[in-house]
Amino acid sequence: MINIPFISLIVILFYVAPSAQALKSWYTPPGGTPAGSVAGDKVRGVNLGGWFILENWMMPSFFEDEVLKDTYINDEWVYCSYLGKEECLNRLEKHWDSYITEDDFKRFANYSLNTVRIPMGYWSWTDPEEYEPYIQGQLPYLERALNWSSWYGLDVLMDLHGLPGGQNGQDNQGYKGPIEFQNNATNMERAMDALANMTKFVTQDKFDGVVKAIQLTNEPYILEYSSNGMDFNVLADFYVQGYNTVRANEHILSGSNEVMVVIHDAFQPVLNWKYFWSQESMGLNWTNYALDTHIYDAFGGSNLKTYQEHLDTICAQAAAISEAQTYFPVIVGEFSLGTNTYCVDYQSCFGLSLDEVISNITSSYEANLFMRQFWEVQSDVYELGAGWIFWSVHHELAGPWSWTQSAAQNWLPEDPTEKIWPFYSNTSSYCLDTYNPIQGDQNMPYFPTYANNYTNIDISTVTRKYYVNSTGSEAIANSTSVTSTGDSTVNSSSSATSNSTSSATPAASASQREMLIVGVWTSLLLVLVSITLMV
C-alpha cells in the first residue's frame, strides 16, 4: 500500500529542490533570438561598485578619519595623490579585503541573483604611468571573487569602468575632471592593452568560464550628450578596436561559446544602436554582443516627483526596451531605488547614523511600500529586455542605493519573481496596477521600522555548489589559491601588489553544476519512492 506521508514528502522535495538560477545562455547566434529573450530567463544581478574604483559617496566613513576629513577627496586619483602610494596601497588592500566578502555572495545566492558586474579601472590591468598615482594589487582579490561566483552559481560581467584619460569626467572613471581619452593615440593603445590583459586573465581555464561577458567601458560621454564629450566616431572606433581585442585575446573553453561583448549606449536611445550594428565599418560583423543602458530617476528635479510620477517614468521605458530586445540583448546594467541625491555628496551626511538616514527617507509605511513598488516596476520593465543589475552592492548611509540595505529593509523580495501587483507592459503610465494587488491588501509586506543590519539576513542554509573534478568524482568547490581564514581570505603566495596568476581548483561549469544537483536530487527521490512502495 502506498504511504501518503511519503508521497507528500516527495512532492515537497520536488518543490524545494534547487533550480538553476543562471541565465541559460549568454550567447546570441548570428541572426538568432537575442540572449535573455525568454520570459523568466533573465540577467538578475548586482554591481560590485565602490570596490576596485573608489566612489566617495558610497563609503563616507572611509574618508572621515583624522588624516582625510578636512580634505575633499573627489576620487581615487586624489585619494592616492594625497596619501602617497605606500599608504594608499596599505589602505586599499584592507578595503579590497573587507568590502566584498564570501558572505556577500551567499546573500546574492539566497536572493536568487545570478550575475555580478565587476567594475575595474584600466590601471588594474596595465602599468600606471609615472605621473599617475594609481596603485595595483587588485587581482588576487578579483580571483577570489571569481571563485566565489563559481561556488554560488553566479555569472560574471567584467567591466572596464575607467579608461586612460577618462571617458566621462566623473569619479567612476577614477579621476573627476576633463574627458581626455580622445586627446591622444596613447590613451587608445593603453585601453587596448588593458582590455587584452583583462580578457586573458578572466578567461583562463582555472575560472572555468564563469566570466560570461566583458564590457568595453562604462558610461562614455559623446557630444550628443555632453558638450565636453567625445565625437561619436571616436567612441565607435574604440568599440570596434575593443571588440577585436577581446576576440583576439579570449580563451574559449572546449564546448563553450565566445564571451558576450557589451557596449554602453552612451546615453542615447537604445533603438539608435540598430545603426551601429548595421554598418560594416562598425558592428555589422560582430557576433555575440549586447547593449548596456543605465536608468536612474534621481537627478534633474526627480526629487520633486510624486510616487506615481516615479513609477510612470519607468513605465515610459517599456516600449523602447521591448522593441530593442528583438534586435539585440538589452541589459539594464545600472539602476537603483534612489529617487534623490540625499547623502550622495559624501560629506553631506558626515556624522549621521544609518537609522537617521533611513527614517528621513521612509518615514511611513507608504514610503516603504513605494520602495517595493519602485523595485517591482523596474524589474518588470527591465525584464522586457535581457534583465537588470542593481547599483550597487553597498552604501553606508543611502539605503536605496544599496542592494544589501534594500534587501534588509524588505524593499527587495527574497525571490525576484515574487510580484505583488499586476504589470501591463503595453501602457506607458500606470503600468503597475498598485490599486489592485494580486493577492489582496492583506498580503502587503512587512517593513522594519528601523535600519535593519543586512548581516541579519539568514544565510546559514546557503552552501557552496558542487563541481565535478578531473577524475569525474564529486567534490566540494574549493580553491587552492586561497587560504581560508574566514571571509578575509586572500592569496597567501602572491604579492598583493602583483597581478596574480596562481592556479585554482576549477569550479564547475553551469551545466556540470546543474547536472550534478539534478542527479543528487533524482537519486534521493528514487530512494524515497522505493521506500514508499515497500511500506
Side-chain angles (χ1 to χ4, degrees):
M1 185 174 71
I2 297 178
N3 187 296
I4 297 301
F6 272 101
I7 294 293
S8 300
L9 180 57
I10 291 171
V11 172
I12 291 170
L13 283 170
F14 270 120
Y15 181 77
V16 302
S19 58
Q21 296 178 4
L23 186 69
K24 286 187 173 62
S25 176
W26 287 79
Y27 179 70
T28 301
T33 302
S37 293
V38 177
D41 183 26
K42 302 293 180 177
V43 173
R44 293 168 175 151
V46 63
N47 281 275
L48 305 189
W51 191 22
F52 293 127
I53 299 181
L54 293 181
E55 296 190 35
N56 59 22
W57 65 286
M58 298 169 70
M59 56 201 78
S61 69
F62 197 66
F63 307 91
E64 204 174 2
D65 70 7
E66 287 300 319
V67 176
L68 298 171
K69 68 178 183 179
D70 295 327
T71 301
Y72 196 92
I73 306 296
N74 283 318
D75 44 49
E76 190 159 330
W77 180 292
V78 173
Y79 183 79
C80 288
S81 294
Y82 186 81
L83 292 172
K85 289 194 174 185
E86 184 176 351
E87 179 62 17
C88 185
L89 174 62
N90 180 52
R91 292 184 180 219
L92 285 183
E93 282 184 325
K94 293 175 182 176
H95 170 69
W96 297 333
D97 189 51
S98 61
Y99 193 68
I100 301 296
T101 71
E102 184 172 352
D103 277 356
D104 287 312
F105 282 78
K106 290 180 179 180
R107 279 182 281 271
F108 303 157
N110 190 63
Y111 275 70
S112 296
L113 300 185
N114 60 27
T115 302
V116 291
R117 179 173 178 255
I118 304 181
M120 299 186 77
Y122 70 90
W123 58 91
S124 298
W125 300 105
T126 188
D127 289 338
E129 298 286 359
E130 187 173 338
Y131 67 89
E132 295 175 322
Y134 298 127
I135 55 95
Q136 293 184 317
Q138 300 88 343
L139 300 200
Y141 303 89
L142 171 64
E143 179 164 351
R144 187 172 66 178
L146 297 182
N147 285 326
W148 288 336
S149 296
S150 287
W151 297 348
Y152 296 105
L154 291 104
D155 296 326
V156 177
L157 189 164
M158 291 298 305
D159 164 33
L160 192 64
H161 214 66
L163 296 183
Q167 77 279 7
N168 60 33
Q170 302 303 311
D171 57 351
N172 60 64
Q173 69 178 16
Y175 175 73
K176 189 170 185 176
I179 300 170
E180 298 181 330
F181 171 74
Q182 70 275 21
N183 286 359
N184 62 69
T186 301
N187 287 336
M188 180 74 81
E189 292 171 3
R190 296 182 71 203
M192 292 308 115
D193 187 48
L195 277 172
N197 290 335
M198 182 170 78
T199 301
K200 288 175 184 176
F201 183 87
V202 303
T203 62
Q204 293 178 83
D205 276 333
K206 66 181 177 179
F207 299 126
D208 205 43
V210 71
V211 173
K212 296 297 193 298
I214 291 176
Q215 182 164 346
L216 301 183
T217 198
N218 175 71
E219 295 185 351
Y221 284 12
I222 58 175
L223 291 172
E224 288 78 0
Y225 179 75
S226 167
S227 60
N228 297 319
M230 67 185 81
D231 185 271
F232 171 77
N233 291 317
V234 174
L235 177 63
D237 183 43
F238 166 74
Y239 280 164
V240 170
Q241 290 194 46
Y243 173 85
N244 291 332
T245 296
V246 170
R247 290 286 175 256
N249 289 279
E250 66 179 320
H251 170 63
I252 304 175
L253 297 177
S254 178
S256 298
N257 297 309
E258 62 197 12
V259 296
M260 178 183 283
V261 174
V262 181
I263 62 172
H264 186 262
D265 65 6
F267 301 102
Q268 300 306 292
V270 289
L271 284 165
N272 283 15
W273 289 88
K274 288 173 59 181
Y275 170 80
F276 178 85
W277 282 304
S278 69
Q279 300 300 303
E280 189 169 2
S281 63
M282 297 181 187
L284 178 62
N285 297 314
W286 287 22
T287 58
N288 199 28
Y289 51 85
L291 186 71
D292 170 36
T293 188
H294 298 170
I295 301 175
Y296 291 114
D297 193 26
F299 309 105
S302 289
N303 60 308
L304 301 177
K305 291 181 179 179
T306 65
Y307 290 160
Q308 187 60 50
E309 286 171 335
H310 283 297
L311 300 179
D312 286 347
T313 297
I314 306 303
C315 293
Q317 306 285 332
I321 290 174
S322 183
E323 182 180 351
Q325 180 65 30
T326 66
Y327 301 107
F328 41 78
V330 179
I331 301 170
V332 180
E334 292 186 19
F335 76 102
S336 78
L337 302 187
T339 57
N340 55 51
T341 55
Y342 182 50
C343 289
V344 166
D345 183 300
Y346 80 104
Q347 290 190 343
S348 66
C349 288
F350 268 8
L352 291 183
S353 69
L354 183 58
D355 266 317
E356 290 172 317
V357 174
I358 293 292
S359 66
N360 284 338
I361 294 172
T362 56
S363 57
S364 66
Y365 183 85
E366 289 70 27
N368 279 289
L369 193 61
F370 165 71
M371 290 293 186
R372 184 64 166 260
Q373 292 167 346
F374 199 42
W375 148 257
E376 194 159 313
V377 74
Q378 291 192 86
S379 63
D380 284 335
V381 169
Y382 305 159
E383 289 195 13
L384 296 173
W388 45 265
I389 309 175
F390 192 101
W391 186 275
S392 182
V393 57
H394 296 308
H395 193 297
E396 289 179 343
L397 294 176
W401 297 85
S402 165
W403 179 87
T404 47
Q405 194 60 46
S406 295
Q409 299 304 130
N410 205 26
W411 300 333
L412 307 179
E414 193 167 302
D415 178 357
T417 66
E418 174 191 306
K419 304 296 180 180
I420 298 175
W421 298 277
F423 171 66
Y424 303 105
S425 61
N426 294 324
T427 60
S428 59
S429 63
Y430 289 89
C431 63
L432 194 73
D433 187 357
T434 57
Y435 294 99
N436 297 289
I438 295 170
Q439 300 296 332
D441 292 340
Q442 71 277 11
N443 291 309
M444 288 295 100
Y446 160 78
F447 302 105
T449 57
Y450 53 89
N452 187 25
N453 194 320
Y454 67 82
T455 59
N456 291 333
I457 296 172
D458 183 11
I459 53 175
S460 61
T461 61
V462 180
T463 58
R464 294 177 179 177
K465 305 294 183 182
Y466 283 83
Y467 71 88
V468 178
N469 63 24
S470 58
T471 65
S473 60
E474 298 175 14
I476 292 289
N478 209 341
S479 171
T480 57
S481 68
V482 177
T483 56
S484 181
T485 57
D487 279 334
S488 56
T489 57
V490 71
N491 188 325
S492 61
S493 62
S494 300
S495 167
T497 61
S498 66
N499 292 344
S500 167
T501 57
S502 60
S503 61
T505 305
S509 65
S511 59
Q512 287 175 323
R513 290 194 297 266
E514 292 169 18
M515 288 174 64
L516 186 54
I517 291 169
V518 169
V520 169
W521 281 97
T522 301
S523 299
L524 178 57
L525 289 169
L526 287 174
V527 170
L528 288 171
V529 169
S530 299
I531 295 172
T532 299
L533 295 176
M534 289 188 296
V535 174

